[in-house]
Amino acid sequence: MTTGYNFAYLNEQTKRMIRRALLKAVAIPGYQVPFASREMPMPYGWGTGGVQVTASILTPEDTLKVIDQGADDTTNAVSIRKFFKRTAEVATTEETAKASIIQTRHRIPEAPLREDQILVFQVPIPEPLRFLEPRETETRKMHALEEYGIMHVKLYEDIARHGHIATSYAYPAKVNGRYVFDPSPIPKFDNPKLDSCAALQLFGAGREKRIYAVPPYTQVKSLDFEDHPFTIQKWDEPCALCGARGTYLDEIILDDRGKRMFVCSDTDHCRKARSGEEAA
Amino acid sequence: MTIEAMTGFADQARDSARAFRRMLDAMARPGRILSLEPDFDVPAPLLPAAAAICLTLCDYDTPLWLDASLSEPAILDFLRFQTGAPITADIAPARFLLCTPGSALQALAGAHRGDAEYPDASATLIIQVPSLSAGGRLILEGPGIDGEQDFRTLGLDAAFWDTMQDNHQLFPLGCDVFFASASGISALPRSTHIKREGHA
Ligand SMILES: [Zn+2]
């Protein structure tokens, strides 16, 4: 080694502790495993939880992709990619199909993931009940007793106020019929992709010191009501760049007179669609 | 073999990372067999795959229990030296339990199952088995499995599988189990529903 870092930055004792937490997280789908989060050479909010998970699962043979809001070229995604290139000497890619590990902030790629891929989510607030009950001792009891009534009350208040469930990000879902979890601030558009996904999905919250997981082929059901079923965002127009319908679109303001267009948030998917390649 | 002659992973950081990925894949896909053949020698009758699990996961924070057949001085020295894990004579406080088919039931029945608020505090069993391809057929269902998964091992009796079914019934409490053969591993987390042919 010439980099002066331990492989993937973290020391072996820290990785062992995180690895033990990851195995328990996989064995108890949707349950938040506490772990002793370490200081990372980047600020909280830059995905220190996701970075610690990635550092603990990474092998020299991996190919890493990092996205932020669907894009590979944002400062945050570029920094994390560089960090692992330097500390673990792993190959990196911007192509979803070529990645074995994808670390993400706020999106799930549009292309269906495979069994040989792992998706690592950066999570700011892992506790779905936190805004309803600030005390950790209480939320822990609620999870233990499977008491999720207040979550339904909150969603129902949405309906009373707006006529529909207004929550559109970090939309709570129940994993394997047991634990209600926060899928991180992905748009609810991505929630259906969590369900029965072929890839293992891992979640790391650095500041809040929690790790949780959704194993492959595991039921993830977004909370809803019989008379107000869960729905995802839809756009009237296709992507202005690739013409795709059915992808998650970002609004781009083109000038100060309010001219705007909608384009795919998943930049790799959009680029592939434009070049006529099959998007994996 | 002296303690000094016992080596662990040649490249600890990278080799343990590779070993862990096999363990993570095994836990995420219950019943699948993954090869795990570490590049170091281990004192018999400890199996290399079982040793690789211990060296990857155990340290001074994780009390380790070994059954009588594995409590050979050479094995105890090797695991102490390579992991730093305190060896415990009692099953209940152990975080990891290294067993063989003859002791697996006793270990599973007595191991810590976690508690309602911290189900992750439960123990993990590592059971050395003679084979992961022969023996009676079990059918697995649950998280990590697309439909059904076959699973076979030798040497574990009906009483053990009854207790494994009870273990699953306790979910989200319960132990998680790695099976280690001469060259591979497989896992059954507590979330896996186990069906036996000829049984309900
Ligand atoms: Zn597009």
Side-chain angles (χ1 to χ4, degrees):
Chain A
M1 280 298 284
T2 52
T3 59
Y5 294 102
N6 196 3
F7 176 71
Y9 185 79
L10 294 174
N11 65 46
E12 292 307 297
Q13 195 271 328
T14 299
K15 280 186 275 191
R16 264 194 307 274
M17 175 268 297
I18 294 174
R19 286 167 180 165
R20 292 194 295 261
L22 282 166
L23 292 174
K24 290 299 174 189
V26 169
I28 319 167
Y31 166 75
Q32 301 165 50
V33 180
F35 80 109
S37 179
R38 294 291 186 257
E39 290 292 325
M40 296 301 286
M42 55 193 73
Y44 285 126
W46 277 53
T48 56
V51 167
Q52 289 177 82
V53 169
T54 298
S56 301
I57 65 170
L58 205 56
T59 70
E61 292 71 42
D62 275 308
T63 301
L64 178 69
K65 172 183 164 83
V66 184
I67 49 170
D68 181 6
Q69 310 268 9
D72 300 81
D73 57 1
T74 62
T75 315
N76 186 318
V78 171
S79 312
I80 293 172
R81 214 159 48 231
K82 270 194 193 149
F83 175 76
F84 284 116
K85 222 173 174 164
R86 194 173 68 235
T87 61
E89 298 173 320
V90 289
T92 59
T93 184
E94 296 193 1
E95 293 181 60
T96 300
K98 289 188 176 159
S100 56
I101 296 176
I102 303 168
Q103 184 172 328
T104 179
R105 177 172 174 267
H106 299 188
R107 273 314 307 280
I108 297 176
E110 302 289 358
L113 298 177
R114 301 184 310 259
E115 286 199 354
D116 61 347
Q117 296 178 309
I118 298 178
L119 189 57
V120 178
F121 294 77
Q122 300 171 200
V123 183
I125 298 164
E127 180 48 73
L129 306 168
R130 181 62 69 234
F131 295 111
L132 308 166
E133 171 54 68
R135 288 166 297 178
E136 161 77 14
T137 48
E138 290 305 307
T139 54
R140 200 157 273 285
K141 265 186 214 137
M142 290 172 174
H143 284 295
L145 298 169
E146 221 175 333
E147 257 181 35
Y148 295 125
I150 58 167
M151 189 56 103
H152 282 95
V153 169
K154 192 248 173 202
L155 292 174
Y156 214 87
E157 281 170 0
D158 257 20
I159 296 169
R161 196 170 309 137
H162 307 282
H164 62 276
I165 298 174
T167 303
S168 57
Y169 291 87
Y171 192 103
K174 194 176 244 194
V175 184
N176 188 33
R178 177 58 180 81
Y179 284 99
V180 167
F181 92 127
D182 183 330
S184 86
I186 56 172
K188 66 175 183 175
F189 177 89
D190 284 340
N191 271 35
K193 297 178 192 163
L194 296 160
D195 180 42
S196 292
C197 177
L200 170 62
Q201 302 177 86
L202 304 173
F203 300 76
R207 193 183 44 225
E208 303 269 332
K209 303 177 169 57
R210 293 288 182 277
I211 284 170
Y212 49 106
V214 176
Y217 309 113
T218 298
Q219 188 196 58
V220 177
K221 195 181 176 313
S222 302
L223 302 186
D224 63 358
F225 301 94
E226 232 165 73
D227 50 343
H228 288 275
F230 173 79
T231 56
I232 59 172
Q233 294 100 325
K234 282 192 174 59
W235 289 262
D236 296 332
E237 50 201 300
C239 167
L241 296 177
C242 75
R245 288 182 184 276
T247 63
Y248 188 81
L249 302 181
D250 284 335
E251 185 178 348
I252 294 182
I253 309 293
L254 293 171
D255 60 28
D256 53 14
R257 291 191 303 263
K259 197 163 178 250
R260 55 195 198 146
M261 67 174 187
F262 289 91
V263 300
C264 292
S265 113
D266 183 336
T267 51
D268 174 58
H269 188 84
C270 193
R271 193 165 46 232
K272 284 224 161 44
R274 272 176 284 156
S275 67
E277 272 182 71
E278 269 299 298
Chain B
M1 192 159 51
T2 63
I3 291 178
E4 290 70 30
M6 295 176 187
T7 59
F9 291 115
D11 179 343
Q12 198 201 358
R14 287 167 188 75
D15 291 343
S16 65
R18 293 181 179 108
F20 175 69
R21 268 295 274 287
R22 298 294 167 89
M23 294 171 211
L24 182 65
D25 283 348
M27 197 59 84
R29 300 172 195 285
R32 281 209 199 168
I33 302 163
L34 290 131
S35 73
L36 184 59
E37 296 182 81
D39 57 3
F40 51 83
D41 294 325
V42 303
L46 181 63
L47 294 178
I53 295 175
C54 294
L55 266 59
T56 302
L57 298 178
C58 297
D59 57 26
Y60 52 81
D61 282 333
T62 60
L64 172 64
W65 178 89
L66 287 83
D67 77 10
S69 76
L70 294 168
S71 296
E72 301 278 341
I75 294 176
L76 296 173
D77 285 348
F78 174 78
L79 291 173
R80 275 200 197 99
F81 183 74
Q82 293 294 338
T83 70
I87 308 288
T88 170
D90 300 322
I91 288 176
R95 286 285 301 278
F96 290 89
L97 298 105
L98 194 47
C99 2
T100 50
S103 64
L105 174 59
Q106 178 204 8
L108 180 61
H112 188 32
R113 293 165 168 183
D115 57 65
E117 293 184 14
Y118 292 95
D120 57 300
S122 66
T124 302
L125 272 67
I126 304 159
I127 307 175
Q128 296 198 160
V129 291
S131 173
L132 284 169
S133 52
R137 177 164 168 251
L138 302 167
I139 300 162
L140 313 178
E141 286 176 357
I145 299 167
D146 186 13
E148 289 182 345
Q149 169 76 43
D150 281 7
F151 185 66
R152 291 172 195 276
T153 53
L154 276 178
L156 292 157
D157 60 12
F160 172 80
W161 293 112
D162 284 343
T163 309
M164 280 294 280
Q165 284 171 325
D166 295 344
N167 184 60
H168 169 65
Q169 293 301 322
L170 292 171
F171 186 91
L173 304 191
C175 298
D176 308 304
V177 181
F178 279 112
F179 296 87
S181 72
S183 60
I185 58 165
S186 193
L188 293 184
R190 70 194 80 179
S191 58
T192 302
H193 177 58
I194 304 164
K195 290 193 289 187
R196 281 181 286 169
E197 282 192 330
H199 288 73

